[in-house]
Amino acid sequence: MIKAVVFDLGEVLSSPPSLLPELAERIGTSEELLKEHYWTGRVEYDSGVPDRHYWGPLLSALGVSYDDALLAELAYLDADIWSYLRPAAWQLLRDCRAAGVTVAVLSNSPHAMQQAADKAVWRADVDHLYISATLGAIKPQPEIYLGAQAELGLKPEEIAFIDDKPANVKAAQALGWHGHVWVSDHDTRRWLEELGVLSPA
């Protein structure tokens, strides 16, 4: 019996089309140029390195001068944009809680996301929020799953996990979690119905 559903954040719950446009406008560059550099160094950033270690090289590559204030502003702007959930995804969180299961979010995200997500309106619909930079471990490292499982106080077979990256899902499944690669909100709902978490509409 599933007692907790753990959702990834980026793409699974949040896919903001305004991400690159808003950041590019603030930086003063084009979306195309920003896209070339946005994911460079992101794994390290999500692992917990300081804002300067990610945004500094990115801005330098774009030929933009910066100070600590701009670095902090971009870090929180980035996190705020990512913390906007699609309405259908947010409804899934609510429906899972209404069904009586624990709801958690397990995200590979930088430190700024902890503050942004904690302030987000959907935070009230999530029992546990796990941010990789805060935890000092990152998916698909086993430690991040084991840490979440220990806090949930559940057996691995009692946990359902949804992520858009197959490697992250496989890592969870290797520990005994039920895992599903995200395709769409409708597909996620159907999978949760198959597990018996949600009742068919």
Side-chain angles (χ1 to χ4, degrees), residues 58-72:
L58 184 154
L59 292 172
S60 294
L62 295 173
V64 176
S65 60
Y66 60 87
D67 55 18
D68 288 343
L70 178 59
L71 295 177

Side-chain angles (χ1 to χ4, degrees), residues 70-181:
L70 178 59
L71 295 177
E73 181 182 349
L74 290 174
Y76 287 105
L77 175 60
D78 178 64
D80 281 340
I81 296 171
W82 273 115
S83 67
Y84 176 79
L85 302 195
R86 294 186 308 275
W90 189 359
Q91 190 60 52
L92 277 172
L93 299 182
R94 292 169 166 167
D95 291 346
C96 285
R97 288 197 85 196
V101 299
T102 297
V103 173
V105 169
L106 177 61
S107 174
N108 282 353
S109 297
H111 286 292
M113 180 55 74
Q114 187 75 58
Q115 181 175 338
D118 277 336
K119 295 190 302 182
V121 290
W122 53 262
R123 181 65 179 87
D125 295 311
V126 173
D127 299 294
H128 300 277
L129 174 65
Y130 304 111
I131 300 299
S132 59
T134 304
L135 297 175
I138 190 169
K139 296 176 292 184
Q141 295 173 345
E143 294 85 352
I144 196 168
Y145 303 96
L146 293 172
Q149 182 181 318
E151 185 171 329
L152 290 169
L154 299 175
K155 299 175 183 177
E157 63 269 20
E158 296 174 326
I159 303 172
F161 175 64
I162 304 104
D163 198 294
D164 64 303
K165 293 181 172 56
N168 295 344
V169 173
K170 289 179 181 178
Q173 290 173 327
L175 296 173
W177 292 21
H178 297 268
H180 185 71
V181 177

